[in-house]
Amino acid sequence: MSASRTTILVIDDEAQIHRFLSPALDAAGFDPRRADSGQEGLRAIALWNPDAVVLDLGLPDMDGKDVLVRAREFYRGPIIILSARDREAEKIEALDLGANDYVEKPFGVGELLARVRAALRQTADHVAPTGPITLGDVTIDLDRRLVLRGGSPVRLTPKEYDVLAHLARYVGKVIGHRDLLTAVWGAAHAEDTQYLRVVVGQLRHKLEADPGQPRLIQTEPAVGYRLDA
């Protein structure tokens, strides 16, 4: 993600949407990112943690509302629906499922940009924390990719760090198995929960006072994991 510009992920399978929307976002000072399917979009959200998402409902591999529901398991930024579906029931359902706004196709770029800016302002107070995160005797410095326990560096493998860092961005929130697997291993491994169990076990041995009774990395049975404050 760009360090200086607000990142907007556009999830839409229509090439022409990206062709005119990406330059418009860029000209407005945003950093546009692209995904062409629901699975690709979920992976992009998990990997990039964009500042906002523009999401089409008519995707080739899954309904956009399903993408919305799964994204809301781990993503707290604004999601703006962009869709040709103009039925009131569709709008109400999307908003109830966690969308911040709903823009119908065809749309004016100026209006969409204004709605993106408004959504960003509304969620400004809910951005995930940055900088060092201290949980008991464990400190996670996301900017420096550094983990300390009792003031001493902890050596983690790249996968161990990536899992811990993803949990640390949402302290106290449950992150689903699929979302962790997609973020760290990619969409092709979204069902390989054994990978996750092994890495979480390794993290507990390195970070917990009693790995058998973990207090830092909590398990939500059949759902996922959360990092406790």
Side-chain angles (χ1 to χ4, degrees):
M1 191 185 303
S2 170
S4 59
R5 296 203 298 170
T6 300
T7 303
I8 310 297
L9 172 65
V10 179
I11 307 174
D12 198 304
D13 65 320
E14 295 185 50
Q16 61 268 33
I17 292 290
H18 293 290
R19 277 199 298 268
F20 77 81
L21 192 51
S22 290
L25 288 166
D26 183 70
F30 296 117
D31 178 11
R33 300 294 178 91
R34 171 176 179 170
D36 297 312
S37 68
Q39 291 289 350
E40 185 182 346
L42 286 167
R43 182 181 181 186
I45 294 172
L47 289 175
W48 296 334
N49 190 30
D51 294 292
V53 174
V54 176
L55 171 64
D56 181 33
L57 293 185
L59 297 169
D61 58 337
M62 59 194 299
D63 192 283
K65 292 194 294 292
D66 294 329
V67 177
L68 173 62
V69 170
R70 287 179 53 188
R72 279 300 181 223
E73 294 176 4
F74 63 96
Y75 177 68
R76 296 296 173 264
I79 299 177
I80 299 161
I81 299 299
L82 184 63
S83 179
R85 303 177 190 175
D86 59 359
R87 291 185 300 134
E88 183 179 6
E90 289 278 2
K91 299 177 185 178
I92 292 171
E93 185 179 6
L95 293 168
D96 284 344
L97 289 173
N100 295 77
D101 206 344
Y102 195 110
V103 179
E104 294 178 24
K105 293 179 179 178
F107 61 93
V109 173
E111 177 188 0
L112 179 62
L113 292 175
R115 289 175 182 262
V116 168
R117 289 191 293 266
L120 287 166
R121 287 195 298 270
Q122 291 167 4
T123 58
D125 294 335
H126 303 286
V127 175
T130 59
I133 300 166
T134 299
L135 305 167
D137 66 345
V138 174
T139 297
I140 306 163
D141 190 331
L142 297 175
D143 294 330
R144 299 170 61 197
R145 291 184 63 88
L146 179 66
V147 178
L148 304 174
R149 182 181 176 195
S152 299
V154 179
R155 296 186 64 179
L156 301 180
T157 68
K159 289 291 189 273
E160 289 169 357
Y161 177 83
D162 288 345
V163 169
L164 183 65
H166 197 70
L167 290 169
R169 293 187 181 99
Y170 305 97
V171 173
K173 306 287 186 181
V174 177
I175 308 299
H177 295 132
R178 288 177 59 92
D179 299 308
L180 275 166
L181 286 161
T182 299
V184 177
W185 283 273
H189 298 284
E191 305 295 336
D192 294 331
T193 54
Q194 69 273 17
Y195 290 6
L196 198 52
R197 284 196 296 269
V198 169
V199 169
V200 169
Q202 292 167 342
L203 282 170
R204 284 171 169 161
H205 276 283
K206 293 180 179 182
L207 300 177
E208 301 275 8
D210 181 358
Q213 299 290 327
R215 302 184 64 180
L216 180 66
I217 304 175
Q218 295 290 326
T219 299
E220 287 292 329
V223 179
Y225 298 95
R226 76 174 187 274
L227 206 58
D228 263 0

